[in-house]
């Protein structure tokens, strides 16, 4: 069992009930003061609820960090015969699973918060836009909604206040861009999931052109706690600009892979080493990607940064929805950037040219570099095209797509340089730049490698050192993995 | 189910639930993490093995429940056991053999079993 610090670095607000209650039992939720926040909110005016959320300092946990109370205030101020509140459960960043954990572990907290939000902005209808790849979350959320309805906590005249509110589910078909709120709304309307220009913002004109609030699952999960414990309590946690906690999914090369919830302002060092237990097998920590394909790589230089929205942006990354992919000395940062570009190239909706064509061009340049064919001119073009795409793409997906490149070029310039100038991959990841040779001092001539080599490029006499014919070697690494004497050298 | 129309009715409902839960005092509660990932890691197999072991030993004072993510991916499947009058303890890496051992050693004799995950968080209780 990996060692875990006994010091309590974590603070669980959004995940307060996850793992402690039966998510399919509304009674378990009520036992922990469930739906009391809704009852309390309904005794306040909608403007008072908006002010409370504003005062708490809660900001969007989907990654953008827009103040939730301000957003709600805009929708409240826009008079309309119908308004909508939407929960964005289209979680899609590689390595991120915070929202699924909340929906599968404590669905009622989201249901209750949506009702509170609906009351605050004047919406009677809520929709959860959830990805169809989350069947268990859908099942538990459906049951939560049905049970809340049966108790009269959703439906007509909630708590005898005259407030009507109900929730329906809509399923995403797996398009990453639908996590962007305008694309999400179009998808809800049955149209192609493509973003539209802002303004108008959804809070002014969204779902069916009515004022619509789109909030992330984790944002909602904080709301009942804020209503019951007060804005001062919540704003007392965190940094000057960023209040409360953040749920992160620790993945990749880390000992304690898992979900954590930490107060804002915690340092990366505490997260990676004290909570996460560092990299496995004593490997050296190299970087952590926050914000998924929209974020950037933070390196050992950033370990003592206090995490909040602003500090991460200042380091060319972003908070993102909470994925933290940890990389160690065996990861090549050019390949990591290429991996994320491969993802965005697949997921661009194609509506705007900078994103559709730009992603492809960026990917091609990175591919060229990882194959040892890159030049310094490519490096300059990579940078200038990245900046242009940031400035000109239509939506958040395109605007943030170059971040993994810009941040790795900045922090790991030496690795790009090694690929281009020396035609070497320092982490020995890029296959095209690898060479396999046999150390004659260590080779015993056991002939095992000749048996596993798929192209039969290893030759030699039994009990004599063997050699690899580099011109025929396909760099599959089979000999390297099989050799019992560590005689194969990978460079 | 009757509908809840006022805060007082909600509080009365809560009291009723808490009373019902208090009546379980004296029972051992076995809480198995069953999120999608926990199930994939073998959570249901752990649950079934423990249920079987409880039945085989004729234990009557044990209640099972499911919950969502316990946050310890690295130690899935995870199980939380609350012995009567004791603080809950979370065990990780509960495969079928460990599941049975938990029943025969920890539940029946109170003997500690390897794989305890220390509590490293503070949790907001409303």
């Amino acid at each position: 069992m990996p060692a875990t610090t006994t010091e309590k670095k974590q603070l669980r607000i959004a995940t307060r009930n996850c793992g402690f209650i039966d998510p399919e039992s509304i009674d378990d939720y009520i036992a922990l003061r469930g739906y009391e926040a809704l009852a309390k909110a309904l005794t306040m005016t909608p403007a008072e609820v908006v002010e409370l959320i504003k005062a708490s300092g809660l900001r969007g946990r989907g990654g953008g960090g827009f103040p939730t109370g301000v957003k709600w205030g805009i929708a409240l101020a826009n008079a309309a015969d119908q308004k909508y509140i939407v929960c964005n459960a289209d979680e899609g960043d590689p390595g991120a699973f915070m929202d699924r954990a909340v929906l599968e572990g404590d669905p009622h907290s989201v249901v209750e918060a949506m009702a509170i939000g609906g009351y605050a902005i004047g919406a009677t209808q809520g929709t959860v836009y959830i990805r169809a790849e989350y069947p268990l979350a859908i099942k538990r959320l459906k049951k939560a909604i049905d049970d809340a309805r049966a108790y009269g906590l959703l439906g007509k005249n909630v708590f005898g206040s005259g407030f009507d509110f109900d929730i329906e589910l809509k399923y995403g078909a797996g398009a990453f861009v639908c996590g962007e709120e305008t694309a999400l709304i179009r998808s809800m309307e049955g149209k192609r999931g493509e973003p539209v220009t802002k303004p108008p913002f959804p809070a002014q004109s969204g779902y069916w052109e009515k004022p619509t609030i789109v909030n992330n699952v984790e944002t909602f999960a904080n709301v009942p706690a804020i209503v019951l414990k007060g804005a001062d309590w919540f704003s007392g946690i965190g940094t000057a600009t960023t209040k409360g906690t953040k749920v992160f999914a620790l993945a990749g090369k880390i000992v304690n892979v898992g979900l954590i919830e930490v107060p804002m302002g915690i340092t990366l060092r505490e997260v990676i080493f004290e909570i996460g237990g560092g990299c496995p097998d004593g490997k050296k920590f190299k970087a952590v990607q926050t914000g998924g394909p929209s974020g950037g790589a933070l390196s050992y230089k950033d370990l003592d940064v206090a995490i909040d929205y602003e500090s991460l942006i200042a380091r060319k990354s972003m908070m993102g929805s909470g994925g933290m992919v940890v990389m160690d000395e065996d990861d090549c940062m050019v390949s990591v950037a290429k991996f994320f570009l491969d993802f965005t190239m697949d997921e661009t909706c194609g509506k705007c040219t900078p994103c559709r064509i730009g992603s492809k061009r960026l990917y091609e340049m990175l591919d060229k570099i990882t194959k040892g064919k890159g030049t310094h001119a490519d490096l300059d073009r990579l940078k200038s095209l990245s900046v242009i795409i940031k400035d000109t793409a239509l939506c958040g997906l395109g605007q943030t797509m170059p971040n993994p490149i810009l941040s790795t070029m900045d922090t790991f310039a030496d690795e790009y340089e090694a690929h281009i100038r020396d035609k070497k991959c320092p982490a020995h990841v890029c296959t095209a730049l690898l060479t396999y040779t046999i150390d004659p001092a260590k080779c015993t001539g056991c002939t095992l490698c000749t048996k596993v080599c798929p192209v039969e490029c290893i030759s030699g006499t039994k009990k004599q050192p063997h050699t690899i014919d580099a011109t025929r070697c396909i760099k599959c690494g089979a000999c390297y993995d099989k050799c019992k004497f560590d005689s194969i050298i990978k460079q | 189910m009757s509908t809840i129309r006022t805060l007082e009715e909600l509080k009365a409902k809560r009291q009723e639930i808490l009373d019902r839960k208090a009546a379980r005092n004296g029972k051992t509660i076995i809480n198995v993490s069953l999120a999608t990932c926990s199930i994939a890691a073998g959570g249901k197999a752990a649950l079934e093995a423990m249920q079987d072991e409880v039945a085989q030993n004729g234990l009557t004072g044990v209640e099972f429940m499911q919950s969502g993510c316990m946050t310890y991916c690295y130690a899935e499947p995870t199980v939380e056991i609350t012995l009567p009058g004791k603080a809950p303890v979370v065990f990780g890496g509960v495969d079928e053999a460990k599941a049975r051992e938990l029943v025969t050693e920890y539940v029946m004799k109170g003997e500690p079993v390897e794989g305890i995950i220390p509590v490293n968080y503070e949790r907001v209780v409303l």
Side-chain angles (χ1 to χ4, degrees):
Chain A
M1 189 66 45
T4 311
T5 172
T6 46
E7 199 189 335
K8 293 180 174 56
K9 292 274 177 194
Q10 299 194 52
L11 176 62
R12 293 175 60 175
I13 301 174
T15 60
R16 62 192 176 277
N17 297 330
C18 286
F20 299 100
I21 65 169
D22 180 349
E24 296 183 31
S25 161
I26 187 170
D27 284 1
D28 266 23
Y29 184 66
I30 289 175
L32 294 169
R33 295 185 71 197
Y35 291 98
E36 277 185 39
L38 175 59
K40 184 180 172 190
L42 291 175
T43 64
M44 302 158 70
T45 66
E48 282 168 352
V49 179
V50 168
E51 282 311 311
L52 173 77
I53 300 299
K54 268 189 202 170
S56 75
L58 177 65
R59 295 169 65 178
R61 297 292 192 253
F66 192 82
T68 307
V70 174
K71 208 174 187 179
W72 287 12
I74 298 168
L76 174 64
N78 280 305
D81 53 351
Q82 178 65 54
K83 298 179 192 178
Y84 297 100
I85 190 145
V86 177
C87 174
N88 182 350
D90 193 43
E91 184 172 54
D93 282 6
F97 46 90
M98 304 73 51
D99 295 347
R100 178 171 61 76
V102 171
L103 291 170
E104 289 179 355
D106 189 21
H108 283 284
S109 67
V110 175
V111 171
E112 182 182 10
M114 287 181 72
I116 294 168
Y119 175 71
I121 68 164
T124 57
Q125 181 61 50
T127 304
V128 182
Y129 186 89
I130 183 165
R131 57 189 310 205
E133 296 94 326
Y134 280 180
L136 186 62
I138 290 171
K139 179 187 155 214
R140 289 183 177 162
L141 196 53
K142 266 189 182 162
K143 180 153 194 332
I145 294 166
D146 287 345
D147 289 350
R149 253 184 226 137
Y151 272 1
L153 301 168
L154 287 178
K156 297 271 175 218
N157 194 21
V158 178
F159 282 112
S161 64
F163 169 61
D164 303 336
F165 190 76
D166 213 334
I167 297 177
E168 61 167 5
L169 300 189
K170 283 198 183 278
Y171 308 119
F176 180 66
V177 73
C178 289
E180 197 281 337
E181 58 180 3
T182 62
L184 182 149
I185 288 168
R186 280 180 56 94
S187 171
M188 278 172 51
E189 292 171 345
K191 296 173 189 152
R192 228 184 132 106
E194 287 177 341
V196 292
T197 45
K198 296 191 269 193
F201 292 94
Q204 301 161 314
S205 172
Y207 190 39
W208 303 122
E209 295 173 13
K210 303 291 183 189
T212 303
I213 288 299
V214 182
N215 285 139
N216 164 268
V217 172
E218 188 188 332
T219 313
F220 277 123
N222 279 293
V223 169
I226 294 171
V227 171
L228 285 182
K229 292 185 77 87
D232 290 344
W233 162 75
F234 193 79
S235 64
I237 304 161
T239 68
T241 61
T242 310
K243 307 302 184 187
T245 57
K246 181 76 194 86
V247 184
F248 289 108
L250 281 182
K253 308 277 184 65
I254 185 122
V255 172
N256 297 334
V257 172
L259 215 60
I260 60 164
E261 182 169 353
V262 288
M264 297 286 193
I266 194 169
T267 65
L268 206 52
R269 185 185 300 280
E270 291 170 290
V271 169
I272 303 290
F273 292 98
E274 294 184 33
I275 299 173
C279 299
D281 305 324
K283 297 271 183 180
K284 214 171 138 205
F285 166 79
K286 185 185 254 184
V288 56
Q289 177 87 8
T290 62
S294 304
L298 301 166
S299 73
Y300 64 93
K301 291 179 199 154
D302 307 310
L303 280 174
D304 293 308
V305 170
I307 297 174
D308 69 15
Y309 290 100
E310 282 66 28
S311 67
L312 294 189
I313 292 219
R315 275 152 192 85
K316 293 200 172 78
S317 186
M318 67 182 286
M319 182 74 75
S321 60
M324 273 199 180
V325 183
V326 181
M327 288 158 280
D328 68 10
E329 56 189 281
D330 293 337
D331 288 300
C332 160
M333 298 314 288
V334 185
S335 298
V336 166
K338 190 172 114 177
F339 167 81
F340 283 110
L341 258 292
D342 190 21
F343 179 84
T344 32
M345 186 173 69
D346 265 355
E347 293 294 345
T348 174
C349 76
K351 186 173 179 179
C352 76
T353 316
C355 183
R356 181 182 68 245
I357 300 177
S359 60
K360 178 86 179 158
R361 292 289 98 86
L362 289 177
Y363 178 83
E364 286 168 352
M365 281 187 259
L366 288 170
D367 191 49
K368 208 174 146 190
I369 295 171
T370 57
K371 294 208 163 106
K373 293 175 182 154
T375 62
H376 284 98
D378 286 322
L379 221 47
D380 294 337
R381 274 198 305 173
L382 200 56
K383 192 162 227 166
S384 65
L385 184 57
S386 290
V387 173
I388 291 169
I389 294 171
K390 263 180 101 72
D391 288 344
T392 54
L394 172 61
C395 81
L397 191 156
Q399 288 157 10
T400 58
M401 170 181 74
N403 285 351
I405 300 178
L406 290 170
S407 80
T408 50
M409 279 182 83
D410 195 42
T411 318
F412 298 96
D414 54 329
E415 285 197 32
Y416 279 85
E417 194 61 33
H419 282 77
I420 288 169
R421 193 188 54 212
D422 313 329
K423 312 292 177 204
K424 290 277 176 214
C425 173
H428 308 314
V429 171
C430 298
T431 329
L433 302 179
L434 287 180
T435 52
Y436 287 93
T437 48
I438 294 177
D439 182 351
K442 284 186 180 170
C443 180
T444 62
C446 75
T447 75
L448 187 59
C449 54
T450 62
K451 294 185 181 104
V452 296
C453 178
V455 292
E456 297 176 349
C457 74
I458 307 177
S459 56
T461 331
K462 212 170 177 181
K463 296 192 176 163
Q464 294 296 318
H466 283 46
T467 50
I468 298 174
D469 178 357
T471 57
R472 282 157 59 213
C473 174
I474 57 165
K475 297 160 188 178
C476 67
C479 54
Y480 182 82
D481 293 338
K482 270 281 180 310
C483 181
K484 290 173 184 162
F485 308 99
D486 288 332
S487 72
I488 314 265
I489 305 162
K490 183 160 90 168
Q491 275 174 325
Chain B
M1 280 195 245
S2 58
T3 59
I4 297 164
R5 281 273 153 252
T6 62
L7 177 58
E8 285 63 43
E9 283 178 25
L10 179 68
K11 284 185 169 163
K13 180 82 199 172
R14 179 171 180 242
Q15 198 51 54
E16 179 197 315
I17 297 163
L18 291 175
D19 291 345
R20 205 168 64 216
K21 284 186 183 285
R24 297 193 310 194
N25 275 353
K27 286 202 169 188
T28 294
I29 313 285
I30 299 183
N31 170 10
V32 183
S33 175
L34 291 179
T36 300
C37 34
S38 338
I39 294 169
K44 275 193 176 159
L47 172 64
E48 281 161 17
M50 283 189 286
Q51 282 170 332
D52 181 55
E53 200 63 39
V54 164
Q56 276 187 29
N57 287 285
L59 305 181
T60 49
V62 177
E63 231 176 78
F64 287 92
M65 68 169 278
Q66 65 158 355
S67 68
C69 168
M70 286 187 187
T71 76
Y72 312 108
C73 307
Y74 66 89
E76 288 288 352
T78 47
V79 172
E80 181 195 67
I81 302 181
T82 313
L83 297 181
K86 294 248 177 84
V89 178
V90 178
F91 296 89
V94 185
D95 56 11
E96 204 192 313
K98 171 78 80 63
R100 292 185 186 276
E101 191 188 350
L102 280 174
V103 174
T104 54
E105 298 303 311
Y106 188 66
V107 174
M108 292 172 68
K109 302 180 203 155
E111 294 286 336
V113 170
E114 216 175 290
I116 295 177
I117 301 174
V119 176
N120 65 343
Y121 56 82
E122 258 180 74
R123 176 183 163 221
V124 169
V125 177
L126 300 179

